[in-house]
Structure formats: structure tokens, C-alpha cells
Amino acid sequence: MGVAHEANRAVVRKASVMLFRSETPPPPGNLRVSEPGASDRPTTAMLKAGIDSGATGDKIAVYDPGLSSLGTDDEAAGSAPSHERIALARETEAASAKVRRAARSPSLDAWIVLGFSGFIGAIGIVLSAAIWMGH
């Protein structure tokens, strides 16, 4: 009985941690990245910054830590991408304004949660009043 009790306590503890965990990633994943400007000689770091800034529409605009920087494998193999090829990748990967809006952070829409909560609360008040008036 003691082992089962401890196992149940561990499950409850894990569930409560999951329930109240923060949706904000730990550093450096919570850092915002600005989109790099235009350049005649772009680098793979600028390409990665474009992706991390949300300019490609692939992900929300936060820093994405990785084990190795973008392009490191190519450089290690002795075939680093040319500036022209990186410029082509930046141009090809750029997302439209519509795609960028769709990929924005969900925290920007926090008012939706508040509005929905208020709506549910209003329904509860109306139902409570109807039940109270019915007696």
C-alpha cells in the first residue's frame, strides 16, 4: 500500500506541475529576434535570424537555439554556401504579410481568452438568475 500511495502522489504532483507550468520557454528561447536588413553579402546567420524573426512564416518570432548554427555542416564539409545562394534563399523563403500575420505569437490574442471567459461567466449568471426566478 505504501508504494502505491507514493506512486499516486507522484502522478498528482506531476499533473499539478503540468497544470500550472508556464507557456513561456526558458532563456534563450524567450528572446525576440529582429529581422536582419538587406545586405549585398548576406550570411547564414542572417538567414537564420530571418527564420527566427518570423520573416519566413514558418514559426513564431522567437530565438530558436540549436546545437549548431545554420550552415555549419556545409562549412565543415568545405562547401560553404556563396553569398548569392544565401541571398536567393532569403528571397525565396520570405513570407507574405498574410502568412506573417497567421504565424504571429498566440499571446497577442490573449483578449480572446478574456472575452470567452466573460461570455461563459455571463451564461452562468443568466442560468443562475433563471433558476432562482423559477423557484
Side-chain angles (χ1 to χ4, degrees), residues 7-100:
N8 287 339
R9 286 183 62 190
V11 168
V12 169
R13 193 175 13 225
K14 182 173 178 148
S16 65
V17 168
M18 293 286 290
L19 179 65
F20 296 112
R21 69 183 173 88
S22 171
E23 293 298 324
T24 305
N30 63 344
L31 301 175
R32 296 280 179 196
V33 178
S34 59
E35 184 178 353
S39 173
D40 294 335
R41 297 177 52 87
T43 63
T44 53
M46 293 172 77
L47 180 59
K48 183 176 184 324
I51 295 168
D52 287 348
S53 70
T56 60
D58 293 334
K59 57 187 284 305
I60 61 172
V62 293
Y63 177 71
D64 189 10
L67 293 177
S68 61
S69 298
L70 186 65
T72 303
D73 296 337
D74 296 333
E75 292 173 8
S79 60
S82 66
H83 296 292
E84 294 80 23
R85 189 167 179 153
I86 296 170
L88 178 63
R90 286 183 73 193
E91 181 182 329
T92 306
E93 292 292 323
S96 67
K98 181 179 179 181
V99 171
R100 287 183 189 202

Side-chain angles (χ1 to χ4, degrees), residues 114-133:
L114 293 174
F116 182 74
S117 300
F119 178 71
I120 296 298
I123 289 174
I125 291 172
V126 168
L127 288 175
S128 297
I131 290 170
W132 183 71
M133 300 281 273

